[in-house]
Amino acid sequence: MTKHSVIFFDIDGTLLNHKKELPQSTKEAIFKLKEQGHIVAIATGRAPFMFADLRKELGIDTFVSYNGQYVVLNGEVLYTNPLNTSSLLKLTEAALLNNHPVVYMDHEDMRANVPEHAYIKESIDTLKIGMFPTHDPSYHEGRDLYQTLLFCPEGEEQQYEQEFSDFDFVRWHPVSVDILPRGGSKAHGIEQILKKLGVSNEDIYAFGDGLNDIEMLTAVHNSVAMGNAEDSVKKVAKYVTKSVEDNGITHGLKMVGLLS
């Protein structure tokens, strides 16, 4: 190909398999894209500090993190969209009454408002990031937070959805929900990068597998759902590739013509 494209990849279930490992075929495909002059970027719900090692391994310095709330282009912060502090304080107070802990997250760290809780350990452990939030109930004071984790069983987040219209709630684990600014999404974060780069929509590609990828896969012209994605995700994608466990990234890049 002579044209240079921008390709956004989700992390969990897309770049990384279910053991949180980077398949060798995926690594080789990423470097082939870069050799061809394409821009390879990450679009994830994770915090920047949760995938610093992966960025270093793949040589990636452009990313959309926190589902669009903290965007970096070529190593420089391009766009931020923090949570409403007063609404977050009220939500935290309500959550404490329900024994639903929260974890505050900025671009550098994450801190829990309770010393320990089984739900926090259960869900954070699945990320296999080698770190755990420490206790600091005042971490939200005097700093911008781009995402907060609410820990509660499925369905119990509905009471917060009804009361706090400033936020969107996206479940990522049976006992944990992402709290994001209303209307924030990977798609919106990607839009900030595309406006800066001036790239046409036909030269944009995105790969994902989760519910938080739906807006991204709907908005991006060349969208690819992983074979391990839920049906609702596959329905909005232009293409469906193989599972992450079955060289899905390499197969998908060949499907869309980026690799031969």
Side-chain angles (χ1 to χ4, degrees):
M1 292 183 63
T2 56
K3 288 196 301 182
H4 292 166
S5 301
V6 185
I7 307 101
F8 292 90
F9 294 96
D10 169 53
I11 294 181
D12 300 288
T14 301
L15 286 179
L16 301 184
N17 62 25
H18 293 92
K19 295 180 180 179
K20 305 303 179 185
E21 299 168 338
L22 178 69
Q24 184 61 30
S25 64
T26 297
K27 185 174 181 177
E28 292 172 357
I30 296 299
F31 279 100
K32 285 180 182 177
L33 290 174
K34 295 174 65 179
E35 288 170 6
Q36 293 174 5
H38 301 302
I39 297 174
V40 178
I42 286 173
T44 180
R46 288 190 180 209
F49 56 82
M50 289 183 176
F51 61 102
D53 289 346
L54 181 63
R55 296 199 308 274
K56 183 177 180 180
E57 182 176 0
L58 296 176
I60 293 175
D61 59 6
T62 294
F63 60 87
V64 173
S65 63
Y66 282 133
N67 288 313
Q69 316 320 311
Y70 193 86
V71 179
V72 170
L73 174 62
N74 298 325
E76 299 292 332
V77 178
L78 176 65
Y79 170 81
T80 61
N81 183 31
L83 292 160
N84 181 292
T85 304
S86 60
S87 294
L88 182 61
L89 180 59
K90 293 176 183 176
L91 185 147
T92 299
E93 292 172 349
L96 278 172
L97 294 175
N98 295 323
N99 192 28
H100 293 159
V102 301
V103 167
Y104 304 116
M105 308 175 79
D106 64 3
H107 62 294
E108 295 178 323
D109 204 354
M110 57 180 174
R111 303 290 177 88
N113 71 329
V114 296
E116 58 183 22
H117 196 285
Y119 287 171
I120 299 179
K121 177 172 173 49
E122 178 183 342
S123 54
I124 297 296
D125 278 351
T126 66
L127 296 175
K128 298 184 178 180
I129 55 176
M131 62 186 304
F132 197 77
T134 54
H135 178 221
D136 186 351
S138 62
Y139 194 68
H140 61 288
E141 297 176 2
R143 73 182 72 241
D144 286 337
L145 300 176
Y146 304 104
Q147 184 168 287
T148 291
L149 303 180
L150 171 69
F151 297 86
C152 63
E154 292 186 59
E156 294 187 19
E157 70 273 21
Q158 293 177 1
Q159 58 186 302
Y160 304 102
E161 292 174 342
Q162 294 170 2
E163 185 175 352
F164 297 97
S165 59
D166 287 342
F167 303 138
D168 283 334
F169 298 80
V170 181
R171 182 164 291 279
W172 65 276
H173 185 275
V175 295
S176 188
V177 175
D178 291 336
I179 301 175
L180 304 167
R182 173 72 70 181
S185 69
K186 292 183 182 182
H188 186 66
I190 287 173
E191 183 183 352
Q192 309 310 309
I193 291 176
L194 301 186
K195 285 193 296 187
K196 185 71 173 180
L197 294 177
V199 181
S200 65
N201 197 33
E202 64 182 19
D203 295 323
I204 310 304
Y205 297 78
F207 287 70
D209 74 301
L211 297 178
N212 64 338
D213 294 318
I214 288 178
E215 292 92 341
M216 174 178 75
L217 296 179
T218 302
V220 170
H221 182 68
N222 302 292
S223 56
V224 185
M226 303 300 291
N228 46 277
E230 296 188 30
D231 288 342
S232 59
V233 179
K234 293 177 180 177
K235 286 178 181 178
V236 303
K238 189 173 182 179
Y239 305 92
V240 177
T241 184
K242 296 180 180 180
S243 166
V244 62
E245 311 283 355
D246 190 22
N247 302 320
I249 293 297
T250 301
H251 181 75
L253 290 170
K254 290 179 179 179
M255 286 177 66
V256 300
L258 288 172
L259 292 181
S260 57

mmCIF file with all atom_site columns, all heavy atoms in Angstrom, residues 164-178:
data_model
loop_
_atom_site.group_PDB
_atom_site.id
_atom_site.type_symbol
_atom_site.label_atom_id
_atom_site.label_alt_id
_atom_site.label_comp_id
_atom_site.label_asym_id
_atom_site.label_entity_id
_atom_site.label_seq_id
_atom_site.pdbx_PDB_ins_code
_atom_site.Cartn_x
_atom_site.Cartn_y
_atom_site.Cartn_z
_atom_site.occupancy
_atom_site.B_iso_or_equiv
_atom_site.pdbx_formal_charge
_atom_site.auth_seq_id
_atom_site.auth_comp_id
_atom_site.auth_asym_id
_atom_site.auth_atom_id
_atom_site.pdbx_PDB_model_num
ATOM 1   N N   . PHE A 1 164 ? -27.050 9.904   38.714 1.00 0.00 ? 164 PHE A N   1
ATOM 2   C CA  . PHE A 1 164 ? -25.890 10.698  38.306 1.00 0.00 ? 164 PHE A CA  1
ATOM 3   C C   . PHE A 1 164 ? -25.806 10.794  36.781 1.00 0.00 ? 164 PHE A C   1
ATOM 4   O O   . PHE A 1 164 ? -25.167 9.971   36.116 1.00 0.00 ? 164 PHE A O   1
ATOM 5   C CB  . PHE A 1 164 ? -24.613 10.098  38.897 1.00 0.00 ? 164 PHE A CB  1
ATOM 6   C CG  . PHE A 1 164 ? -24.585 10.115  40.396 1.00 0.00 ? 164 PHE A CG  1
ATOM 7   C CD1 . PHE A 1 164 ? -24.958 8.989   41.125 1.00 0.00 ? 164 PHE A CD1 1
ATOM 8   C CD2 . PHE A 1 164 ? -24.233 11.269  41.089 1.00 0.00 ? 164 PHE A CD2 1
ATOM 9   C CE1 . PHE A 1 164 ? -24.957 9.004   42.510 1.00 0.00 ? 164 PHE A CE1 1
ATOM 10  C CE2 . PHE A 1 164 ? -24.229 11.293  42.480 1.00 0.00 ? 164 PHE A CE2 1
ATOM 11  C CZ  . PHE A 1 164 ? -24.591 10.161  43.189 1.00 0.00 ? 164 PHE A CZ  1
ATOM 12  N N   . SER A 1 165 ? -26.455 11.823  36.257 1.00 0.00 ? 165 SER A N   1
ATOM 13  C CA  . SER A 1 165 ? -26.528 11.999  34.799 1.00 0.00 ? 165 SER A CA  1
ATOM 14  C C   . SER A 1 165 ? -25.229 12.532  34.202 1.00 0.00 ? 165 SER A C   1
ATOM 15  O O   . SER A 1 165 ? -25.078 12.556  32.980 1.00 0.00 ? 165 SER A O   1
ATOM 16  C CB  . SER A 1 165 ? -27.679 12.960  34.450 1.00 0.00 ? 165 SER A CB  1
ATOM 17  O OG  . SER A 1 165 ? -27.490 14.222  35.070 1.00 0.00 ? 165 SER A OG  1
ATOM 18  N N   . ASP A 1 166 ? -24.285 12.955  35.044 1.00 0.00 ? 166 ASP A N   1
ATOM 19  C CA  . ASP A 1 166 ? -22.990 13.429  34.545 1.00 0.00 ? 166 ASP A CA  1
ATOM 20  C C   . ASP A 1 166 ? -22.108 12.289  34.055 1.00 0.00 ? 166 ASP A C   1
ATOM 21  O O   . ASP A 1 166 ? -21.107 12.528  33.371 1.00 0.00 ? 166 ASP A O   1
ATOM 22  C CB  . ASP A 1 166 ? -22.214 14.164  35.651 1.00 0.00 ? 166 ASP A CB  1
ATOM 23  C CG  . ASP A 1 166 ? -22.801 15.524  35.962 1.00 0.00 ? 166 ASP A CG  1
ATOM 24  O OD1 . ASP A 1 166 ? -23.570 16.042  35.139 1.00 0.00 ? 166 ASP A OD1 1
ATOM 25  O OD2 . ASP A 1 166 ? -22.489 16.066  37.041 1.00 0.00 ? 166 ASP A OD2 1
ATOM 26  N N   . PHE A 1 167 ? -22.487 11.061  34.411 1.00 0.00 ? 167 PHE A N   1
ATOM 27  C CA  . PHE A 1 167 ? -21.601 9.928   34.160 1.00 0.00 ? 167 PHE A CA  1
ATOM 28  C C   . PHE A 1 167 ? -22.234 8.867   33.266 1.00 0.00 ? 167 PHE A C   1
ATOM 29  O O   . PHE A 1 167 ? -23.454 8.706   33.233 1.00 0.00 ? 167 PHE A O   1
ATOM 30  C CB  . PHE A 1 167 ? -21.206 9.258   35.490 1.00 0.00 ? 167 PHE A CB  1
ATOM 31  C CG  . PHE A 1 167 ? -20.548 10.186  36.477 1.00 0.00 ? 167 PHE A CG  1
ATOM 32  C CD1 . PHE A 1 167 ? -20.892 10.126  37.822 1.00 0.00 ? 167 PHE A CD1 1
ATOM 33  C CD2 . PHE A 1 167 ? -19.601 11.107  36.074 1.00 0.00 ? 167 PHE A CD2 1
ATOM 34  C CE1 . PHE A 1 167 ? -20.297 10.967  38.746 1.00 0.00 ? 167 PHE A CE1 1
ATOM 35  C CE2 . PHE A 1 167 ? -18.994 11.961  36.990 1.00 0.00 ? 167 PHE A CE2 1
ATOM 36  C CZ  . PHE A 1 167 ? -19.337 11.888  38.325 1.00 0.00 ? 167 PHE A CZ  1
ATOM 37  N N   . ASP A 1 168 ? -21.372 8.142   32.577 1.00 0.00 ? 168 ASP A N   1
ATOM 38  C CA  . ASP A 1 168 ? -21.740 6.897   31.917 1.00 0.00 ? 168 ASP A CA  1
ATOM 39  C C   . ASP A 1 168 ? -21.150 5.753   32.731 1.00 0.00 ? 168 ASP A C   1
ATOM 40  O O   . ASP A 1 168 ? -20.058 5.885   33.300 1.00 0.00 ? 168 ASP A O   1
ATOM 41  C CB  . ASP A 1 168 ? -21.185 6.835   30.489 1.00 0.00 ? 168 ASP A CB  1
ATOM 42  C CG  . ASP A 1 168 ? -21.979 7.687   29.512 1.00 0.00 ? 168 ASP A CG  1
ATOM 43  O OD1 . ASP A 1 168 ? -23.175 7.911   29.771 1.00 0.00 ? 168 ASP A OD1 1
ATOM 44  O OD2 . ASP A 1 168 ? -21.403 8.119   28.498 1.00 0.00 ? 168 ASP A OD2 1
ATOM 45  N N   . PHE A 1 169 ? -21.856 4.635   32.769 1.00 0.00 ? 169 PHE A N   1
ATOM 46  C CA  . PHE A 1 169 ? -21.412 3.473   33.533 1.00 0.00 ? 169 PHE A CA  1
ATOM 47  C C   . PHE A 1 169 ? -21.251 2.296   32.570 1.00 0.00 ? 169 PHE A C   1
ATOM 48  O O   . PHE A 1 169 ? -22.204 1.896   31.908 1.00 0.00 ? 169 PHE A O   1
ATOM 49  C CB  . PHE A 1 169 ? -22.422 3.125   34.624 1.00 0.00 ? 169 PHE A CB  1
ATOM 50  C CG  . PHE A 1 169 ? -22.606 4.212   35.654 1.00 0.00 ? 169 PHE A CG  1
ATOM 51  C CD1 . PHE A 1 169 ? -23.416 5.320   35.393 1.00 0.00 ? 169 PHE A CD1 1
ATOM 52  C CD2 . PHE A 1 169 ? -21.949 4.151   36.873 1.00 0.00 ? 169 PHE A CD2 1
ATOM 53  C CE1 . PHE A 1 169 ? -23.582 6.328   36.332 1.00 0.00 ? 169 PHE A CE1 1
ATOM 54  C CE2 . PHE A 1 169 ? -22.114 5.163   37.815 1.00 0.00 ? 169 PHE A CE2 1
ATOM 55  C CZ  . PHE A 1 169 ? -22.923 6.253   37.550 1.00 0.00 ? 169 PHE A CZ  1
ATOM 56  N N   . VAL A 1 170 ? -20.039 1.759   32.503 1.00 0.00 ? 170 VAL A N   1
ATOM 57  C CA  . VAL A 1 170 ? -19.749 0.665   31.567 1.00 0.00 ? 170 VAL A CA  1
ATOM 58  C C   . VAL A 1 170 ? -19.176 -0.512  32.347 1.00 0.00 ? 170 VAL A C   1
ATOM 59  O O   . VAL A 1 170 ? -18.085 -0.421  32.919 1.00 0.00 ? 170 VAL A O   1
ATOM 60  C CB  . VAL A 1 170 ? -18.739 1.110   30.480 1.00 0.00 ? 170 VAL A CB  1
ATOM 61  C CG1 . VAL A 1 170 ? -18.482 -0.043  29.510 1.00 0.00 ? 170 VAL A CG1 1
ATOM 62  C CG2 . VAL A 1 170 ? -19.249 2.331   29.729 1.00 0.00 ? 170 VAL A CG2 1
ATOM 63  N N   . ARG A 1 171 ? -19.908 -1.611  32.376 1.00 0.00 ? 171 ARG A N   1
ATOM 64  C CA  . ARG A 1 171 ? -19.442 -2.775  33.137 1.00 0.00 ? 171 ARG A CA  1
ATOM 65  C C   . ARG A 1 171 ? -18.341 -3.502  32.366 1.00 0.00 ? 171 ARG A C   1
ATOM 66  O O   . ARG A 1 171 ? -18.455 -3.760  31.181 1.00 0.00 ? 171 ARG A O   1
ATOM 67  C CB  . ARG A 1 171 ? -20.600 -3.724  33.429 1.00 0.00 ? 171 ARG A CB  1
ATOM 68  C CG  . ARG A 1 171 ? -20.175 -4.944  34.265 1.00 0.00 ? 171 ARG A CG  1
ATOM 69  C CD  . ARG A 1 171 ? -21.368 -5.661  34.858 1.00 0.00 ? 171 ARG A CD  1
ATOM 70  N NE  . ARG A 1 171 ? -22.030 -4.875  35.907 1.00 0.00 ? 171 ARG A NE  1
ATOM 71  C CZ  . ARG A 1 171 ? -21.610 -4.807  37.167 1.00 0.00 ? 171 ARG A CZ  1
ATOM 72  N NH1 . ARG A 1 171 ? -20.531 -5.479  37.557 1.00 0.00 ? 171 ARG A NH1 1
ATOM 73  N NH2 . ARG A 1 171 ? -22.260 -4.081  38.053 1.00 0.00 ? 171 ARG A NH2 1
ATOM 74  N N   . TRP A 1 172 ? -17.278 -3.845  33.075 1.00 0.00 ? 172 TRP A N   1
ATOM 75  C CA  . TRP A 1 172 ? -16.169 -4.586  32.477 1.00 0.00 ? 172 TRP A CA  1
ATOM 76  C C   . TRP A 1 172 ? -15.848 -5.880  33.225 1.00 0.00 ? 172 TRP A C   1
ATOM 77  O O   . TRP A 1 172 ? -15.035 -6.688  32.780 1.00 0.00 ? 172 TRP A O   1
ATOM 78  C CB  . TRP A 1 172 ? -14.912 -3.707  32.418 1.00 0.00 ? 172 TRP A CB  1
ATOM 79  C CG  . TRP A 1 172 ? -14.361 -3.321  33.764 1.00 0.00 ? 172 TRP A CG  1
ATOM 80  C CD1 . TRP A 1 172 ? -14.784 -2.277  34.547 1.00 0.00 ? 172 TRP A CD1 1
ATOM 81  C CD2 . TRP A 1 172 ? -13.320 -3.957  34.499 1.00 0.00 ? 172 TRP A CD2 1
ATOM 82  N NE1 . TRP A 1 172 ? -14.058 -2.229  35.722 1.00 0.00 ? 172 TRP A NE1 1
ATOM 83  C CE2 . TRP A 1 172 ? -13.146 -3.244  35.716 1.00 0.00 ? 172 TRP A CE2 1
ATOM 84  C CE3 . TRP A 1 172 ? -12.493 -5.059  34.250 1.00 0.00 ? 172 TRP A CE3 1
ATOM 85  C CZ2 . TRP A 1 172 ? -12.203 -3.604  36.667 1.00 0.00 ? 172 TRP A CZ2 1
ATOM 86  C CZ3 . TRP A 1 172 ? -11.551 -5.413  35.202 1.00 0.00 ? 172 TRP A CZ3 1
ATOM 87  C CH2 . TRP A 1 172 ? -11.415 -4.694  36.390 1.00 0.00 ? 172 TRP A CH2 1
ATOM 88  N N   . HIS A 1 173 ? -16.510 -6.082  34.365 1.00 0.00 ? 173 HIS A N   1
ATOM 89  C CA  . HIS A 1 173 ? -16.268 -7.261  35.186 1.00 0.00 ? 173 HIS A CA  1
ATOM 90  C C   . HIS A 1 173 ? -17.543 -7.524  35.987 1.00 0.00 ? 173 HIS A C   1
ATOM 91  O O   . HIS A 1 173 ? -18.295 -6.592  36.280 1.00 0.00 ? 173 HIS A O   1
ATOM 92  C CB  . HIS A 1 173 ? -15.082 -7.006  36.136 1.00 0.00 ? 173 HIS A CB  1
ATOM 93  C CG  . HIS A 1 173 ? -14.669 -8.198  36.943 1.00 0.00 ? 173 HIS A CG  1
ATOM 94  N ND1 . HIS A 1 173 ? -15.275 -8.542  38.129 1.00 0.00 ? 173 HIS A ND1 1
ATOM 95  C CD2 . HIS A 1 173 ? -13.711 -9.128  36.733 1.00 0.00 ? 173 HIS A CD2 1
ATOM 96  C CE1 . HIS A 1 173 ? -14.707 -9.632  38.614 1.00 0.00 ? 173 HIS A CE1 1
ATOM 97  N NE2 . HIS A 1 173 ? -13.758 -10.014 37.781 1.00 0.00 ? 173 HIS A NE2 1
ATOM 98  N N   . PRO A 1 174 ? -17.825 -8.776  36.351 1.00 0.00 ? 174 PRO A N   1
ATOM 99  C CA  . PRO A 1 174 ? -19.044 -9.077  37.112 1.00 0.00 ? 174 PRO A CA  1
ATOM 100 C C   . PRO A 1 174 ? -19.222 -8.254  38.378 1.00 0.00 ? 174 PRO A C   1
ATOM 101 O O   . PRO A 1 174 ? -20.354 -8.068  38.833 1.00 0.00 ? 174 PRO A O   1
ATOM 102 C CB  . PRO A 1 174 ? -18.892 -10.568 37.440 1.00 0.00 ? 174 PRO A CB  1
ATOM 103 C CG  . PRO A 1 174 ? -18.096 -11.111 36.296 1.00 0.00 ? 174 PRO A CG  1
ATOM 104 C CD  . PRO A 1 174 ? -17.125 -10.020 35.945 1.00 0.00 ? 174 PRO A CD  1
ATOM 105 N N   . VAL A 1 175 ? -18.131 -7.744  38.957 1.00 0.00 ? 175 VAL A N   1
ATOM 106 C CA  . VAL A 1 175 ? -18.283 -6.923  40.163 1.00 0.00 ? 175 VAL A CA  1
ATOM 107 C C   . VAL A 1 175 ? -17.674 -5.530  40.007 1.00 0.00 ? 175 VAL A C   1
ATOM 108 O O   . VAL A 1 175 ? -17.447 -4.836  41.009 1.00 0.00 ? 175 VAL A O   1
ATOM 109 C CB  . VAL A 1 175 ? -17.662 -7.619  41.409 1.00 0.00 ? 175 VAL A CB  1
ATOM 110 C CG1 . VAL A 1 175 ? -18.422 -8.902  41.721 1.00 0.00 ? 175 VAL A CG1 1
ATOM 111 C CG2 . VAL A 1 175 ? -16.173 -7.877  41.226 1.00 0.00 ? 175 VAL A CG2 1
ATOM 112 N N   . SER A 1 176 ? -17.438 -5.074  38.779 1.00 0.00 ? 176 SER A N   1
ATOM 113 C CA  . SER A 1 176 ? -16.838 -3.750  38.615 1.00 0.00 ? 176 SER A CA  1
ATOM 114 C C   . SER A 1 176 ? -17.359 -3.024  37.385 1.00 0.00 ? 176 SER A C   1
ATOM 115 O O   . SER A 1 176 ? -17.590 -3.632  36.337 1.00 0.00 ? 176 SER A O   1
ATOM 116 C CB  . SER A 1 176 ? -15.309 -3.847  38.530 1.00 0.00 ? 176 SER A CB  1
ATOM 117 O OG  . SER A 1 176 ? -14.737 -2.546  38.556 1.00 0.00 ? 176 SER A OG  1
ATOM 118 N N   . VAL A 1 177 ? -17.530 -1.710  37.540 1.00 0.00 ? 177 VAL A N   1
ATOM 119 C CA  . VAL A 1 177 ? -18.067 -0.848  36.489 1.00 0.00 ? 177 VAL A CA  1
ATOM 120 C C   . VAL A 1 177 ? -17.153 0.367   36.324 1.00 0.00 ? 177 VAL A C   1
ATOM 121 O O   . VAL A 1 177 ? -16.706 0.958   37.316 1.00 0.00 ? 177 VAL A O   1
ATOM 122 C CB  . VAL A 1 177 ? -19.491 -0.363  36.863 1.00 0.00 ? 177 VAL A CB  1
ATOM 123 C CG1 . VAL A 1 177 ? -20.028 0.632   35.841 1.00 0.00 ? 177 VAL A CG1 1
ATOM 124 C CG2 . VAL A 1 177 ? -20.442 -1.552  36.991 1.00 0.00 ? 177 VAL A CG2 1
ATOM 125 N N   . ASP A 1 178 ? -16.865 0.732   35.067 1.00 0.00 ? 178 ASP A N   1
ATOM 126 C CA  . ASP A 1 178 ? -16.154 1.979   34.795 1.00 0.00 ? 178 ASP A CA  1
ATOM 127 C C   . ASP A 1 178 ? -17.123 3.151   34.913 1.00 0.00 ? 178 ASP A C   1
ATOM 128 O O   . ASP A 1 178 ? -18.233 3.095   34.383 1.00 0.00 ? 178 ASP A O   1
ATOM 129 C CB  . ASP A 1 178 ? -15.591 1.990   33.368 1.00 0.00 ? 178 ASP A CB  1
ATOM 130 C CG  . ASP A 1 178 ? -14.457 1.010   33.169 1.00 0.00 ? 178 ASP A CG  1
ATOM 131 O OD1 . ASP A 1 178 ? -13.801 0.645   34.145 1.00 0.00 ? 178 ASP A OD1 1
ATOM 132 O OD2 . ASP A 1 178 ? -14.219 0.623   32.004 1.00 0.00 ? 178 ASP A OD2 1
#
